[in-house]
Amino acid sequence: MNRSLLSKDKDPMGKAIADFYSNGRADLLRVFSSQFEEDEIPVKQLFRTISQMPGIEQKSLQMAKGRILDVGAGSGCHSLALQDMGKEVLAIDISPLSVETMQSRGVHQVRQINLFDESFCDTFDTILMLMNGSGIVGRLENLPMFFRCMKRLLRPGGSILMDSSDLRYIFEEEDGSFSIDLAAKYYGEVDFQMQYKKIKGEPFDWLYIDFQTLSFYAAENGFHAELIMEGEHYDYLAQLTIIN
Ligand code: SAH
């Protein structure tokens, strides 16, 4: 499990965010993976306003209450929307350049911290993990540690709002059957590496998780998972609450 922070020379997404913020445009933010073809993240999308957000994200912003933690806040798009709604939010990110940009954009409470840093001992009523927020967990085997960490950060009656996608559509055959190798690792465990201009980040694990698997792990670790809303393409919003 990765508990570290990024440095500026290995922070491609943060650099893209900082460039877009200062120049109104950015170069290609390239994404590599051993499992997929090269792809890119449209940097402008990281600056989406509430009306440009998918329904799942709008719903989670409405549901967020009390003191809110925006995990992996990026450009701060959700934190700024929450502030506009009069809500109290702390934005955290491991990316130094994203944190600087959020400060410049007017996010009131920002910290460069890793969600899994054991010295992070604040508490929250809502923990927001958006834009495939399950990704930060990295791998299925990290879920018990993730839920332990969430128990420490959640106030009584609090909850996690997390979105994810079921990647099964990638393995779906034309006849509706699935070509998933059950002996292989879970199909939602992927690796990514990003590059912006000459800045290349370290490779990292990213977890896409289907709702059923998430519910199973949640129950094993003292949480209840509720399916709040399904998106347009195998994506969904889940609410996770502590049951014991
Ligand atoms: N939530 C934003 C950005 C999503 S990209 C949006 O929806 O636009 C994921 C972000 O999570 C990146 O900014 C990355 O730096 C951050 N991140 C990754 N691992 C993290 C961790 N362990 N703790 C905190 N932030 C993390």
Side-chain angles (χ1 to χ4, degrees):
M1 191 62 230
N2 189 356
R3 292 195 169 83
S4 54
L5 300 174
L6 302 181
S7 57
K8 284 190 182 176
D9 59 334
K10 294 239 165 115
D11 184 11
M13 186 188 254
K15 180 66 178 150
I17 285 176
D19 266 11
F20 191 89
Y21 176 64
S22 25
N23 309 323
R25 61 169 303 282
D27 282 19
L28 282 189
L29 178 56
R30 301 165 70 191
V31 182
F32 308 94
S33 168
S34 67
Q35 288 118 315
F36 309 114
E37 303 274 291
E38 183 181 333
D39 202 356
E40 66 176 271
I41 297 180
V43 182
K44 192 174 190 303
Q45 259 178 33
L46 299 171
F47 285 78
R48 59 204 180 279
T49 59
I50 197 160
S51 60
Q52 295 166 334
M53 287 174 193
I56 280 181
E57 295 185 4
Q58 293 176 349
K59 176 78 181 164
S60 64
L61 296 182
Q62 284 158 14
M63 288 177 70
K65 62 179 173 61
R67 182 143 198 267
I68 302 159
L69 178 68
D70 182 3
V71 177
S75 81
C77 57
H78 299 112
S79 291
L80 289 168
L82 289 165
Q83 283 182 188
D84 284 348
M85 295 162 86
K87 303 191 187 195
E88 187 199 348
V89 56
L90 170 67
I92 64 166
D93 207 292
I94 55 173
S95 151
L97 293 165
S98 296
V99 163
E100 280 181 17
T101 305
M102 284 194 272
Q103 284 162 339
S104 310
R105 295 186 78 203
V107 180
H108 303 314
Q109 299 179 39
V110 188
R111 281 179 70 185
Q112 190 197 4
I113 194 154
N114 190 307
L115 178 66
F116 304 116
D117 182 336
E118 278 158 7
S119 68
F120 180 44
C121 52
D122 220 337
T123 59
F124 304 89
D125 300 289
T126 305
I127 298 181
L128 269 190
M129 302 179 71
L130 296 179
M131 197 173 153
N132 196 61
S134 63
I136 287 176
V137 179
R139 289 165 175 262
L140 284 185
E141 68 185 36
N142 296 334
L143 279 165
M145 185 280 297
F146 165 74
F147 283 115
R148 272 200 307 280
C149 174
M150 293 298 104
K151 280 187 179 166
R152 191 164 44 79
L153 297 175
L154 275 176
R155 292 181 181 168
S159 69
I160 305 160
L161 293 169
M162 171 195 276
D163 67 352
S164 196
S165 292
D166 183 353
L167 287 197
R168 60 165 36 216
Y169 64 87
I170 292 171
F171 307 95
E172 213 162 11
E173 306 288 348
E174 277 175 18
D175 64 1
S177 66
F178 293 99
S179 59
I180 293 167
D181 176 1
L182 293 174
K185 66 177 184 172
Y186 175 61
Y187 62 85
E189 291 183 334
V190 305
D191 60 81
F192 285 129
Q193 186 166 23
M194 290 197 271
Q195 182 171 357
Y196 180 75
K197 293 180 173 166
K198 291 224 161 64
I199 302 171
K200 200 159 192 164
E202 296 290 344
F204 57 91
D205 295 324
W206 198 250
L207 177 66
Y208 293 86
I209 189 167
D210 65 283
F211 180 71
Q212 208 187 340
T213 305
L214 177 65
S215 307
F216 172 79
Y217 276 87
E220 291 274 288
N221 291 282
F223 276 77
H224 171 69
E226 188 180 339
L227 182 63
I228 300 291
M229 193 175 155
E230 289 191 89
E232 283 170 9
H233 196 253
Y234 295 83
D235 53 329
Y236 66 91
L237 174 67
Q239 182 174 40
L240 298 153
T241 44
I242 299 177
I243 45 177
N244 57 43

